[in-house]
Amino acid sequence: MNLTLNKEIRIMGFVLMILFGIRAYAAEATLTIGNNKNSLTNYESVKGGKAGAALFFDAAYMSAYKGCRLTEVKIGVSDKTTDGAITIFLSHAIDEEPFYKETVDASKSRWNTFTLATPYVVDGSDLCIGYTLDGARYACYGNALVRNREYVLDKDGAWAEYDGPYSASLLATLSGDMPEHNVRLGATNMPEYVRTGEVMDIFGDFQNLGVSTVNSLTLALYDENELGEERVGDLNVAPRREGSFALSTMKLNAVGDRTLRLRIKAVNDGSDAVDTDNWTEAQNVMCRDSYVQRKVLLELFSTERCTACPEAHHAIDAVTPDMDNLIEIGHHAGFYTDQFTIDESVAYEWFYPSYHVFAPAMLIDRMDMRNAFPSLFKYETPIMSASATNLKALYALEQKRPALVTVDLTTDWNPSSRSLGIDVSGEQLLPIATPDSLRLYVFLTEDSLYSTSQAGASSGFYHRHVPRKSLTPAWGEKVDVTAGYNRHFDVTLNDEWDEKHMRVVAFVANYNSTNPCDCSVLNAAKRDIIAKTSGIGSISQDSSSSDAWMITDLAGRTVARGQGSASLTAAYNALNKGMYVVKVGEKSKKIVLN
């Protein structure tokens, strides 16, 4: 090709970009729209014999596809239909008369694709796509990819906004010349507290709603102005799939309080068709040179009747020795009750969704972290399945949140009378949104409680950090952290409790009686009734900070491993009763914990 012709082609390409806009447009293409992940996993009972679902797409979304044709509607059904039982409709609002209706029948159960007799040419205004089904026993739902507004037909024949965890098995197809890129910013972690000069822990999900694979995103951080941008590559996220990103360069370099938003600024180095869904909500961010390290409260829910609990507990026990700032309480509730249940633990079943209790379950700082980890939280509360994987992810995030209050804990143990005096005091460290609703909680817990009646355990089972007594009401005792608080408690230990394995756990948390997602823990503390001394003795003292060590049980299973005497002592102090072999370098020693 000669240089003159090449130059003319480049000029023509530039002219076409001016004429048709800078955005990249695909050739004639098809695009699936809708909330559902193309799944049909749930059959929801229909009352009244008529089912219905509808999806709403606002003008900001539909204007990107102005001139395209809506050609197909795909509906999931539980049974075949006859006599035009299904009515497909299009309207501009759920309470307006449809401007398009068509009756059809499903030739098979599950998914059916219906080609519209008259394709609808998108005019860029609000659009509802829906159906009704006469003689239905069930309405079909599945996993959601995105959360657009969605409606369901109730038993009285009226449309109500759907607020369930799934999405109607309802999709539609657009055809025509359309923009290549349309992504939506999903759940995103924007930290509330950052340190000057340190990289902010920003990560999140996005959904590819366009026709082309997403290989890169450019994200920018804003207050009143753009503070910086970062390009994330090698994503390879196909259409109708979800991807994730993590930023590694965003920093704040001055002490102060900011209101920040994150935005997807570019997709594959080009523009995005719909910018309105590329922004996070505004996040108030506090930047300081330093913070006080918090303790993280783990509340496990497990009972002796739970067959799945021993395996989960063993996995959690294996990772907790590395969590120096973890404090644990093991509530015996969530799946019936047992000999170790106290009333306060049962009261905390309030943190479960109203329709489902289960075990093993856990709360981490009673903190609502669904925005940061939407895939881990299955319910509309902070409770989740208890597992080592979930614990590690949430513990790491909570370690980056500072302590908002101090919790100072001292004890006075009298062995002759088995009486214990407890003093808890503290004060506010950082601004708190709800200082008037803070509560102090104080528990006595006992570790290494042996039982032979644990379901799912092949032999005896040791229960960890069981609450023996709550010294405060189930929902705590109100404290004024602004002025500073100081509380004293006296308690006599029951004879069957083993003080050598007991500790006091205290924490301060918000309490909102109408919202379990607004009860987060601000800080916690623990103290052994009798201070532990390491039984490892000389094998620990003689080791250096570079010596690798390993603890195994008598079955040869590795209980913990690490490096250095400090971490060895911490791991030893976290062990349950039993016999173990400790190996440091070339030295080995058998130890017995009673």
Side-chain angles (χ1 to χ4, degrees):
M1 181 179 292
N2 63 55
L3 294 177
T4 301
L5 182 58
N6 196 20
K7 180 178 180 181
E8 289 175 351
I9 291 174
R10 290 200 305 269
I11 292 173
M12 181 61 70
F14 180 69
V15 171
L16 289 173
M17 288 179 68
I18 294 175
L19 290 175
F20 295 104
I22 300 300
R23 288 190 302 171
Y25 274 74
E28 178 77 17
T30 60
L31 175 72
T32 299
I33 62 173
N35 301 346
N36 190 289
K37 281 186 176 180
N38 199 27
S39 71
L40 196 160
T41 58
N42 291 75
Y43 293 92
E44 299 192 4
S45 296
V46 172
K47 296 180 180 179
K50 189 167 187 174
L55 307 177
F56 177 79
F57 302 91
D58 63 22
Y61 180 88
M62 294 309 301
S63 61
Y65 302 101
K66 187 174 182 179
C68 293
R69 304 177 305 282
L70 196 160
T71 58
E72 296 175 339
V73 174
K74 185 177 178 182
I75 302 172
V77 296
S78 60
D79 301 288
K80 297 178 183 180
T81 70
T82 59
D83 303 323
I86 300 173
T87 300
I88 296 170
F89 67 86
L90 305 177
S91 66
H92 293 301
I94 195 63
D95 55 356
E96 287 186 5
E97 183 66 24
F99 61 81
Y100 180 89
K101 283 186 178 182
E102 182 177 344
T103 58
V104 295
D105 276 306
S107 61
K108 56 186 178 180
S109 60
R110 300 185 68 81
W111 286 105
N112 289 260
T113 300
F114 305 101
T115 301
L116 298 187
T118 304
Y120 165 64
V121 178
V122 175
D123 63 7
S125 60
D126 292 347
L127 181 65
C128 273
I129 304 171
Y131 76 91
T132 59
L133 172 57
D134 292 325
R137 295 183 301 161
Y138 302 99
C140 295
Y141 283 78
N143 297 321
L145 176 68
V146 291
R147 296 287 182 187
N148 290 313
R149 196 185 312 169
E150 190 168 326
Y151 297 94
V152 62
L153 199 64
D154 66 22
K155 64 180 180 180
D156 299 321
W159 290 102
E161 193 159 348
Y162 176 75
D163 60 359
Y166 301 103
S167 175
S169 296
L170 171 63
L171 299 167
T173 302
L174 297 179
S175 299
D177 295 328
M178 60 187 68
E180 282 190 77
H181 307 130
N182 182 5
V183 299
R184 173 172 296 186
L185 189 58
T188 304
N189 181 66
M190 287 276 287
E192 297 178 67
Y193 307 94
V194 300
R195 292 178 176 82
T196 51
E198 289 189 7
V199 173
M200 300 173 66
D201 190 25
I202 300 175
F203 59 89
D205 299 323
F206 68 94
Q207 295 83 37
N208 181 6
L209 307 181
V211 297
S212 298
T213 296
V214 173
N215 295 309
S216 70
L217 295 177
T218 301
L219 296 107
L221 192 64
Y222 297 82
D223 51 12
E224 293 84 3
N225 305 299
E226 183 177 316
L227 302 177
E229 68 175 40
E230 181 176 338
R231 185 180 185 275
V232 181
D234 299 322
L235 295 174
N236 193 31
V237 177
R240 300 293 296 178
R241 295 291 185 269
E242 189 168 52
S244 61
F245 65 88
L247 302 188
S248 59
T249 63
M250 297 296 182
K251 301 177 182 179
L252 297 178
N253 294 315
V255 170
D257 298 337
R258 304 278 191 92
T259 301
L260 301 181
R261 297 181 75 191
L262 186 71
R263 173 197 175 200
I264 296 177
K265 185 178 179 181
V267 183
N268 293 346
D269 301 317
S271 60
D272 186 59
V274 182
D275 183 65
T276 54
D277 59 8
N278 288 358
W279 294 79
T280 63
E281 296 292 331
Q283 172 69 63
N284 295 322
V285 177
M286 180 184 299
C287 185
R288 300 289 188 270
D289 290 331
S290 63
Y291 294 103
V292 173
Q293 178 68 57
R294 74 183 293 112
K295 299 292 185 181
V296 177
L297 181 67
L298 164 64
E299 292 177 273
L300 285 168
F301 291 80
S302 170
T303 67
E304 291 194 300
R305 300 179 69 176
C306 169
T307 57
C309 289
E311 182 179 355
H313 278 286
H314 287 313
I316 289 172
D317 292 349
V319 300
T320 53
D322 296 327
M323 300 177 179
D324 295 336
N325 290 314
L326 188 72
I327 297 174
E328 185 178 336
I329 297 178
H331 298 294
H332 281 247
F335 189 77
Y336 305 101
T337 58
D338 61 27
Q339 59 179 318
F340 302 117
T341 302
I342 63 172
D343 291 342
E344 289 79 7
S345 294
V346 176
Y348 300 148
E349 290 181 355
W350 178 72
F351 284 106
Y352 285 85
S354 59
Y355 51 85
H356 184 46
V357 292
F358 60 94
M362 67 182 186
L363 296 166
I364 305 294
D365 276 340
R366 301 184 178 181
M367 184 72 179
D368 181 10
M369 290 182 273
R370 291 174 295 163
N371 281 343
F373 295 104
S375 62
L376 303 186
F377 291 88
K378 307 300 182 185
Y379 309 100
E380 59 274 17
T381 75
I383 204 155
M384 65 188 311
S385 294
S387 73
T389 300
N390 291 353
L391 174 59
K392 287 193 292 185
L394 272 63
Y395 175 81
L397 189 63
E398 281 298 88
Q399 280 287 270
K400 296 174 183 178
R401 278 205 317 134
L404 303 186
V405 300
T406 57
V407 182
D408 299 315
L409 181 59
T410 60
T411 58
D412 182 18
W413 167 242
N414 186 327
S416 60
S417 62
R418 294 184 61 78
S419 61
L420 179 68
I422 303 168
D423 287 288
V424 189
S425 61
E427 61 185 0
Q428 181 174 325
L429 291 172
L430 293 169
I432 297 168
T434 54
D436 295 333
S437 56
L438 300 185
R439 306 288 180 89
L440 172 67
Y441 299 76
V442 181
F443 283 91
L444 289 180
T445 68
E446 185 175 356
D447 196 21
S448 300
L449 278 170
Y450 185 73
S451 168
T452 58
S453 53
Q454 174 65 52
S458 57
S459 58
F461 187 79
Y462 288 96
H463 295 276
R464 291 169 59 91
H465 309 294
V466 177
R468 286 302 205 176
K469 187 177 181 63
S470 176
L471 303 183
T472 49
W475 297 108
E477 183 178 303
K478 194 168 184 178
V479 290
D480 183 354
V481 299
T482 305
Y485 66 93
N486 195 321
R487 295 289 187 274
H488 179 80
F489 304 89
D490 290 303
V491 61
T492 299
L493 272 59
N494 289 353
D495 291 338
E496 64 269 22
W497 297 350
D498 184 356
E499 65 274 14
K500 295 190 297 298
H501 294 281
M502 295 189 69
R503 64 174 45 154
V504 182
V505 174
F507 59 96
V508 172
N510 190 55
Y511 177 55
N512 182 335
S513 62
T514 63
N515 184 5
C517 293
D518 188 27
C519 296
S520 60
V521 174
L522 281 64
N523 201 10
K526 65 181 179 181
R527 188 175 180 87
D528 296 328
I529 291 179
I530 298 177
K532 289 183 180 178
T533 57
S534 175
I536 296 175
S538 61
I539 196 168
S540 174
Q541 297 170 12
D542 295 341
S543 63
S544 70
S545 60
S546 61
D547 284 336
W549 56 265
M550 180 171 64
I551 302 176
T552 59
D553 61 20
L554 292 189
R557 294 172 296 198
T558 300
V559 175
R561 64 171 70 237
Q563 185 173 328
S565 58
S567 62
L568 173 56
T569 300
Y572 170 83
N573 288 336
L575 292 175
N576 293 323
K577 293 177 181 178
M579 298 179 67
Y580 301 90
V581 175
V582 180
K583 183 177 182 181
V584 180
E586 298 302 319
K587 300 178 181 179
S588 295
K589 182 177 181 179
K590 183 184 291 186
I591 57 174
V592 179
L593 295 180
N594 297 315

